Amino acid sequence: IAEDGSRVVQRIVEISEVGRAPKNDPALFALALAASHGNTVTKRAAFAALSRVARIGTHILHFAEHLNSMRGWGRAARQGVGRWYTEQDTQRLALQLVKYRQRDGWTHRDVLRLTHPIATGIHNDLLHWAVKGWPDIGDEAHPDPVLRFIWAYERAQKATDTAEIVKLITDYQLPREALPTQWLNERAVWEAMLPHMPLEATIRNLGKMSAVGLIVPLSSASLMIAKRLADSDAIKRARLHPIKALAALLTYQQGHGTRGSLTWDVDPRIVDALDRAFYLAFQAITPTNKRMLLALDVSGSMGGGSIAGVAGLTPRVGSAAMALITAATEQKYHVMGFAHQFIPLSISPRQRLDDVVRAISGIPFGGTDCALPMIWAMQQKAEIDAFVIYTDSETWAGNTQPVNALRQYRQQSGIAAKLIVVGMVANNFTIADPNDAGMLDVVGFDTAVPAVMADFIRD
């Protein structure tokens, strides 16, 4: 931020808008840093970009908490955050005020009382409602279509029977967050919400919709959801990150939640649809047409920990998923597993991810020797253009360092082979040599990673 704050803000917007990161929270945190610690130009750019990074109500409340802990509420902060409310389209603003009412100990009322944005017309009515409420809503819907949505929300808080709440959901497209919790065990309520439910909310609630009997094999709900998950354009519009699709897959297919006592019967169609959605969520990848050896670390440490804080998403699962993406794109590849020895793996892009994970989970393993892929290639006199190693980098280097093994392979084969080491967790690993232009270290689950790797292999 001190060196080039404007560039920082541009990169934050780029990562956030495209949906390249598993979560938007780090982008909000970084933007708050720029707004707090940048120079005048950087601060101005950060607040100008706020609506592009904080796209929904929960984002602006997260940002308010970050800002509050870093710099307080001077004039620039009050005006910058206040503009988020006044520049929103009124219909969208109404949805944000209803759907995301509190986060991080903040409500919109708290933020508005700090920022005092100046608004007129429907904007002013919405902000007045957010601060002071709507004491007497009456039985008749409000004549203005935007305020009618607020009226419907208020009516839903007082609804006394299923028919009434279903009619309000159907007529005004009320989201799940607008409903009192007692209605969320009703099948008819979920059935009314599903046609206008956002894609991410849909996959987050698959277990619940199955538990109440809405999602069953060949039901209209099951077919509708499977169709949505096969729509690559819809996935891009929703900024559905592959990590979220993978997390939904891991949770749904086990038939019970990671917390609580909720259980459900699994619909295989939904499992297949989530599996496809995972691949569709990545950016388009152009095949390299190079000869690639994909080496998956199958050592014991790969079965522990989690990626992006997702329960069940271990480095082993993540490595299998990433390898399958490459296998689905490339024609010339071979997949092997390694720990203290090299192990053949029967992995095909025609397999479902859970099948591959099972295949690599039952392998006896020991320590980790990341030099084995290159040593194997020398022993077999295999012609390899690129070695791609997926590991958690809890590395036990055997008799040869991976860097030296690659150089020996290059010298023996006469091939200017490249090495990509994909770290499935963030730690202080340095397997690749940063001074060798033919080696690349990768860590994280940016959706652009497979395309970046392909570009690197193609020069």
Side-chain angles (χ1 to χ4, degrees):
I1 291 169
E3 289 176 7
D4 193 346
S6 296
R7 184 181 174 207
V8 171
V9 172
Q10 290 170 6
R11 178 53 59 91
I12 292 168
V13 171
E14 173 194 342
I15 298 294
S16 178
E17 282 195 322
V18 179
R20 283 171 51 183
K23 296 179 181 179
N24 197 46
D25 291 358
L28 295 165
F29 180 79
L31 192 68
L33 279 176
S36 302
H37 300 293
N39 57 27
T40 302
V41 173
T42 301
K43 291 177 181 179
R44 190 178 298 123
F47 284 117
L50 181 56
S51 61
R52 299 175 66 183
V53 180
R55 291 178 296 277
I56 59 177
T58 193
H59 291 166
I60 196 64
L61 298 178
H62 282 316
F63 183 80
E65 172 60 15
H66 293 320
L67 206 64
N68 194 62
S69 67
M70 293 178 191
R71 57 159 289 164
W73 293 86
R75 181 180 178 186
R78 292 196 304 272
Q79 290 181 342
V81 175
R83 279 197 303 272
W84 187 91
Y85 290 91
T86 57
E87 291 177 356
Q88 294 270 342
D89 169 81
T90 53
Q91 194 164 15
R92 178 171 174 75
L93 178 60
L95 176 63
Q96 303 311 307
L97 295 176
V98 163
K99 190 172 182 180
Y100 307 104
R101 297 188 295 281
Q102 58 181 2
R103 291 292 186 278
D104 291 344
W106 287 78
T107 65
H108 292 292
R109 179 175 182 266
D110 297 329
V111 177
L112 291 168
R113 291 180 69 182
L114 272 171
T115 57
H116 298 291
I118 298 174
T120 59
I122 300 301
H123 270 102
N124 186 61
D125 293 336
L126 289 172
L127 300 187
H128 185 274
W129 171 77
V131 174
K132 297 188 175 180
W134 197 341
D136 184 17
I137 61 171
D139 295 330
E140 296 296 325
H142 196 282
D144 182 87
V146 174
L147 296 179
R148 199 177 300 150
F149 180 78
I150 303 297
W151 173 87
Y153 162 76
E154 294 283 5
R155 289 292 298 181
Q157 308 314 300
K158 300 178 180 180
T160 56
D161 62 74
T162 304
E164 181 182 5
I165 199 77
V166 166
K167 180 170 174 54
L168 287 167
I169 294 168
T170 304
D171 291 351
Y172 302 101
Q173 298 192 3
L174 291 178
R176 178 188 62 81
E177 294 84 353
L179 307 180
T181 55
Q182 69 263 26
W183 298 113
L184 298 181
N185 290 318
E186 299 286 340
R187 180 184 184 279
V189 167
W190 288 97
E191 188 173 21
M193 287 191 289
L194 183 58
H196 62 265
M197 193 182 296
L199 187 61
E200 189 173 324
T202 300
I203 66 170
R204 200 168 53 239
N205 289 288
L206 289 171
K208 183 66 175 181
M209 289 189 286
S210 299
V212 301
L214 181 60
I215 299 176
V216 294
L218 297 179
S219 66
S220 58
S222 176
L223 297 172
M224 180 190 300
I225 293 169
K227 183 178 180 180
R228 284 186 193 172
L229 291 172
D231 186 340
S232 59
D233 290 336
I235 287 173
K236 289 174 184 174
R237 286 196 302 272
R239 297 184 179 88
L240 180 66
H241 195 278
I243 284 283
K244 292 179 179 176
L246 192 51
L249 171 62
L250 294 171
T251 300
Y252 181 75
Q253 69 182 4
Q254 68 185 3
H256 60 84
T258 53
R259 292 185 290 269
S261 57
L262 189 68
T263 61
W264 55 84
D265 293 328
V266 176
D267 182 351
R269 184 186 300 274
I270 299 298
V271 176
D272 287 339
L274 287 169
D275 191 77
R276 287 194 301 272
F278 170 76
Y279 300 104
L280 291 174
F282 281 96
Q283 294 182 8
I285 309 165
T286 303
T288 65
N289 295 315
K290 300 288 188 180
R291 298 162 296 187
M292 300 172 64
L293 178 62
L294 310 179
L296 277 61
D297 182 348
V298 295
S299 63
S301 61
M302 290 288 282
S306 61
I307 295 173
V310 176
L313 183 50
T314 62
R316 179 169 292 127
V317 175
S319 65
M322 295 293 284
L324 279 173
I325 292 165
T326 302
T329 306
E330 301 291 344
Q331 296 295 320
K332 304 172 186 176
Y333 69 91
H334 184 59
V335 186
M336 299 284 282
F338 72 94
H340 62 289
Q341 59 184 344
F342 220 41
I343 306 162
L345 293 179
S346 299
I347 291 180
S348 163
R350 291 184 295 276
Q351 289 176 277
R352 215 165 60 184
L353 175 60
D354 53 336
D355 296 329
V356 173
V357 171
R358 275 194 295 271
I360 65 175
S361 296
I363 298 172
F365 30 63
T368 308
D369 186 354
C370 288
L372 284 176
M374 285 70 74
I375 293 172
W376 176 87
M378 285 188 282
Q379 292 171 346
Q380 300 296 319
K381 293 183 170 48
E383 297 181 346
I384 308 295
D385 296 311
F387 296 90
V388 183
I389 298 176
Y390 298 92
T391 179
D392 61 352
S393 303
E394 297 291 339
T395 178
W396 163 77
N399 297 323
T400 307
Q401 291 289 341
V403 167
N404 293 331
L406 178 67
R407 289 175 179 144
Q408 290 171 18
Y409 175 79
R410 288 171 175 167
Q411 185 175 9
Q412 177 182 303
S413 66
I415 300 172
K418 295 187 175 181
L419 170 65
I420 300 177
V421 182
V422 184
M424 303 310 301
V425 295
N427 55 22
N428 295 324
F429 80 100
T430 53
I431 294 175
D433 181 355
N435 296 314
D436 188 320
M439 300 187 195
L440 176 69
D441 275 329
V442 175
V443 67
F445 243 98
D446 187 324
T447 56
V449 162
V452 169
M453 290 165 57
D455 286 344
F456 176 76
I457 291 170
R458 278 194 302 268
D459 291 320

